[in-house]
């Protein structure tokens, strides 16, 4: 009965959560954490590969993790067999060359081919026996830096930080082995009360009860600091969640402060290349962008993208989401063409990994529609937003807020496309695309912009009358208003528009 539930319910539910991006592992460590949290054994990685046939990024992570765990046993056996510690670094370097080096192209072809075939047969037999999975031609497409990173993490190796040539037969030398540190499995202590409060905060945030989410998050933070201390990975998680809640309430300054604290803790406790640290970089970049510190935001988001390239490669949904964030920041700096290149790359990545009808793919279409509207290509914006709305209607239904948001954006793009078509005939100015530069507005803000209030209409009318008077005086040879007055009026209008959008 337990085996039936394990195979027919627990493992398919895990893969379903991977497909919906409720869980998004980026490397073997996060995959291990997710499976152990649900009581799943790592020997089931082969079964996960079979179930995730439509998720190539999950299959890649599982295959790399299985190979890393196989090589781990080899290196541990070699270390245990060394008698003279003076030869330890040379033996480890030679083992890494055998496992990760490429065959020679000229000399000793037969010897290298035999070593390569022997290594491949051993890996195939180990994976078949331990994980019940048959290795096909995936071994030739493995990314060796990911395997090396995983081996160092599991065995405790410290290597010299340099660019290793994995295409050479001997990429490692004994001088590259700096140290060996012990790896100890231990129980991570936590507070049950703080964990329950964090879950309550997440649930309140999902339901839109922001005040309750803030209260639960603040109480959870105080609890976890009292139990685990100020520098602990659970404390960093509490800071990060509270930062996200405050971000949704509009308190961007405090959200940035809390997220910076979470990043400092993760860098110190987990390391610079840990998945939680990567996530902290990405979240902090979004917060800085909302504070209009675009250069700082680009610095952190590029750091996150750089680390993702090493941990999971650029063919991953997290990399696609980071592409969208980079594009949003490039749009803020006026580089719309650069932003479009990032957005198209994100769209291709999401369609290849998740499918053409996934919600994350719809988000890519929506981001491209906004970028195109900033280039006054409203007809193309309508096409992309129609695709977004169609996907969201099929996946979420008409009552979901995201579907209503897409419908409001489509209405706006339709109206602007119609204005753009009628502008040459009526001799009116081109439609304003300033709304697109404001980012992803809510439904209420978007409707307020499309149907502005009476006070705003009066301000716009006064502005038009003032321009008309200036034009009349210019034609009659009269001096127009002074430059200082014009700048003052423009500044007040910009402030008024800024308040309307906020």
């Amino acid at each position: 009965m337990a085996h039936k539930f394990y195979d027919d319910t627990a493992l398919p539910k895990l893969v379903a959560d991977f497909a919906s991006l409720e869980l998004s592992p980026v490397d073997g460590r996060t995959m291990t954490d997710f499976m152990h949290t649900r009581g799943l054994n790592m020997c089931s990685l082969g079964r996960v590969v079979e179930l995730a046939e439509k998720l190539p990024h999950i299959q890649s992570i599982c295959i790399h993790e299985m190979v890393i765990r196989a090589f781990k046993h080899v290196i541990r056996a070699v270390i245990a067999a060394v008698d003279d510690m003076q030869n330890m670094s040379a033996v480890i370097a030679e083992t890494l060359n055998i496992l990760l080096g490429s065959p020679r192209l000229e000399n000793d072809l037969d010897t290298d081919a035999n070593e390569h075939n022997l290594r491949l047969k051993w890996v195939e037999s180990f994976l078949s026996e331990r994980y019940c999975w048959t290795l096909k031609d995936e071994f030739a497409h493995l990314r060796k830096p990911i395997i090396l990173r995983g081996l160092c993490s599991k065995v405790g190796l410290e290597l010299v930080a340099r660019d290793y040539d994995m295409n050479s037969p001997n990429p490692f030398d004994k001088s590259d082995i700096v140290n060996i540190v012990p790896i100890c499995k231990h129980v991570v202590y936590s507070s049950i009360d703080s964990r329950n409060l964090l879950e309550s905060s997440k649930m309140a945030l999902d339901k839109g009860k922001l005040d309750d989410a803030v209260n639960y998050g603040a109480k959870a933070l105080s609890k976890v600091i009292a139990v685990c201390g100020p520098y602990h990975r659970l404390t960093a998680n509490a800071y990060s969640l509270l930062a996200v809640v405050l971000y949704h309430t509009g308190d961007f300054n405090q959200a940035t402060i809390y997220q910076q604290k979470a990043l400092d803790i993760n860098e110190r406790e987990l390391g610079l290349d840990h998945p939680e640290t990567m996530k902290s970089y990405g979240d902090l970049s979004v917060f800085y962008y909302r504070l209009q510190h675009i250069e700082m935001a680009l610095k952190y988001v590029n750091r996150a993208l750089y680390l993702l390239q090493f941990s999971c490669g650029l063919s991953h949904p997290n990399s696609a989401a980071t592409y969208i964030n980079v594009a949003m920041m490039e749009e803020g700096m006026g580089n719309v063409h650069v932003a479009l290149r990032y957005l198209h790359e994100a769209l291709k990545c999401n369609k290849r990994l998740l499918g053409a009808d996934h919600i994350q793919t719809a988000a890519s279409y929506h981001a491209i529609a906004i970028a195109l509207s900033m280039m006054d290509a409203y007809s193309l914006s309508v096409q992309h937003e129609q695709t977004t709305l169609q996907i969201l209607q099929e996946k979420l239904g008409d009552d979901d807020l995201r579907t209503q948001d897409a419908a409001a954006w489509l209405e706006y793009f339709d109206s602007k496309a119609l204005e753009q078509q009628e502008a040459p005939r009526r001799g009116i100015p081109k439609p304003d695309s300033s709304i697109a530069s404001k980012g992803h507005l809510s439904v209420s803000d978007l409707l307020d912009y499309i149907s502005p209030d009476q006070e705003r209409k009066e301000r716009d009318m006064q502005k038009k009358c003032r321009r008309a008077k200036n034009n009349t005086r210019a034609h009659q040879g009269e001096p127009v208003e002074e430059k200082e007055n014009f700048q003052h009026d423009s500044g007040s209008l910009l402030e008024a528009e800024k308040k309307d959008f906020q």
Side-chain angles (χ1 to χ4, degrees):
M1 190 71 177
H3 288 290
K4 182 175 178 60
F5 175 82
Y6 187 93
D7 294 333
D8 298 342
T9 304
L11 289 177
K13 180 63 170 60
L14 178 72
V15 176
D17 289 341
F18 289 155
S20 65
L21 296 184
E22 183 176 343
L23 300 177
S24 183
V26 297
D27 61 358
R29 281 187 287 185
T30 49
M31 175 68 74
T32 303
D33 291 340
F34 289 147
M35 293 186 67
H36 284 174
T37 301
R38 300 195 174 195
L40 301 176
N41 199 309
M42 295 306 292
C43 293
S44 304
L45 281 174
R47 177 62 177 159
V48 174
V49 174
E50 296 176 357
L51 293 174
E53 58 180 354
K54 295 183 179 179
L55 302 173
H57 63 286
I58 297 296
Q59 290 183 323
S60 176
I61 292 174
C62 292
I63 294 172
H64 278 86
E65 182 64 15
M66 287 189 289
V67 174
I68 289 171
R69 288 173 176 265
F71 286 172
K72 174 190 70 174
H73 291 281
V74 176
I75 296 180
R76 283 183 175 177
V78 168
I79 293 175
V82 175
D83 295 329
D84 189 359
M85 294 300 295
Q86 299 293 332
N87 300 327
M88 181 66 72
S89 59
V91 172
I92 293 176
E94 184 62 28
T95 305
L96 290 177
N97 289 331
I98 294 174
L99 296 178
L100 301 176
S102 298
R104 291 182 178 86
L105 299 178
E106 297 178 358
N107 300 325
D108 299 331
L109 290 178
D110 295 337
T111 303
D112 287 345
N114 291 333
E115 290 181 356
H116 178 74
N117 293 332
L118 182 62
R119 176 183 59 181
L120 184 58
K121 289 181 180 179
W122 181 86
V123 172
E124 290 177 351
S125 61
F126 185 90
L127 298 187
S128 177
E129 181 180 353
R130 178 63 63 91
Y131 302 104
C132 300
W133 187 75
T134 303
L135 184 68
K136 302 181 180 67
D137 59 343
E138 295 89 354
F139 191 81
H141 303 289
L142 295 178
R143 300 181 69 233
K144 294 180 180 180
I146 293 179
I147 298 178
L148 177 62
R149 178 172 174 266
L151 282 175
C152 291
S153 176
K154 293 184 184 301
V155 182
L157 297 179
E158 287 188 6
L159 272 63
V160 174
R162 69 177 181 86
D163 188 11
Y164 293 96
D165 184 11
M166 293 299 184
N167 294 322
S168 68
N170 299 304
F172 304 97
D173 188 73
K174 66 178 182 178
S175 60
D176 295 326
I177 312 301
V178 177
N179 194 10
I180 302 178
V181 297
I183 302 297
C184 303
K185 292 185 179 181
H186 62 282
V187 177
V188 179
Y189 58 89
S190 63
S191 170
I192 297 178
D193 294 337
S194 64
R195 191 188 312 158
N196 294 334
L197 287 170
L198 287 174
E199 291 298 326
S200 299
S201 180
K202 292 178 183 178
M203 293 175 62
L205 179 61
D206 293 338
K207 295 178 181 179
K209 300 178 180 179
L210 299 180
D211 293 336
D212 293 340
V214 172
N215 293 331
Y216 286 133
K219 292 179 181 178
L221 179 60
S222 61
K223 287 278 188 183
V224 74
I225 289 177
V227 175
C228 303
Y231 282 92
H232 194 273
R233 61 183 303 176
L234 298 180
T235 308
N237 291 339
Y239 273 124
S240 183
L241 176 61
L242 189 55
V244 172
V245 173
L246 291 173
Y247 174 82
H248 283 84
T249 62
D251 191 355
F252 303 130
N253 286 304
Q254 194 61 39
T256 304
I257 293 172
Y258 281 144
Q259 188 60 41
Q260 185 67 60
K261 291 182 178 180
L263 175 60
D264 294 340
I265 296 172
N266 286 329
E267 285 182 340
R268 172 178 169 175
E269 299 297 319
L270 303 177
L272 298 177
D273 62 341
H274 194 274
E276 287 295 330
T277 309
M278 300 178 205
K279 181 178 179 298
S280 298
Y281 281 127
D283 292 344
L284 189 58
S285 68
V286 176
F287 297 162
Y288 272 121
Y289 173 74
R290 295 297 295 180
L291 291 175
Q292 297 302 312
H293 298 166
I294 299 180
E295 292 184 358
M296 186 68 72
L298 280 172
K299 171 186 173 183
Y300 281 111
V301 75
N302 285 326
R303 174 68 176 172
L305 195 61
Y306 176 77
L307 293 175
L308 282 171
Q309 181 179 1
F310 281 103
S311 61
C312 60
L314 297 180
S315 295
H316 192 276
N318 288 20
S319 300
T322 308
Y323 280 143
I324 295 178
N325 289 339
V326 175
M328 178 178 63
M329 296 167 193
E330 292 288 352
E331 288 173 5
M333 298 182 68
N335 303 326
V336 185
H337 290 83
V338 177
L340 270 177
R341 285 199 290 269
Y342 278 107
L343 292 175
H344 278 293
E345 196 66 31
L347 178 61
K348 290 191 296 183
C349 185
N350 283 328
K351 290 175 69 175
R352 181 175 65 254
L353 299 176
L354 304 174
D357 58 346
H358 196 273
I359 296 177
Q360 197 68 13
T361 307
S364 299
Y365 278 114
H366 175 65
I368 293 176
I370 291 178
L372 290 171
S373 69
M374 296 180 69
M375 302 173 64
D376 294 334
Y378 290 105
S379 58
L380 293 177
S381 296
V382 170
Q383 295 178 13
H384 285 78
E385 197 63 29
Q386 284 176 342
T387 307
T388 302
L389 181 60
Q390 181 181 359
I391 295 173
L392 294 179
Q393 285 176 340
E394 293 177 357
K395 295 294 182 179
L396 303 177
D398 294 332
D399 296 333
D400 192 87
L401 290 177
R402 286 168 287 184
T403 306
Q404 296 175 10
D405 192 15
W409 275 106
L410 181 58
E411 181 182 354
Y412 169 75
F413 291 144
D414 272 330
S415 64
K416 289 301 179 181
L418 185 60
E419 289 181 22
Q420 194 176 48
Q421 293 175 359
E422 296 180 352
R425 291 184 299 175
R426 297 187 178 183
I428 59 178
K430 293 192 304 181
D432 184 22
S433 61
S434 60
I435 184 175
S437 64
K438 301 299 179 180
H440 299 268
L441 299 179
S442 63
V443 179
S444 59
D445 293 337
L446 180 59
L447 294 178
D448 289 341
Y449 184 88
I450 297 173
S451 301
D453 54 11
Q454 187 63 28
E455 181 181 355
R456 175 152 186 173
K457 288 182 179 179
E458 292 177 358
R459 286 200 306 267
D460 292 342
M461 185 60 66
Q462 291 175 3
K463 184 178 177 181
K464 291 179 181 178
C465 292
R466 189 161 50 249
R467 287 178 178 174
K469 289 180 181 179
N470 291 341
N471 292 334
T472 303
R473 290 178 182 177
H475 286 299
Q476 293 176 356
E478 299 180 8
V480 296
E481 296 177 1
E482 294 181 356
K483 185 176 181 180
E484 289 81 2
N485 293 335
F486 176 76
Q487 290 177 344
H488 176 74
D489 293 339
S490 300
S492 62
L493 286 172
L494 289 173
E495 290 296 326
E497 290 179 0
K498 188 176 180 182
K499 290 179 181 178
D500 289 338
F501 280 114
Q502 291 176 347

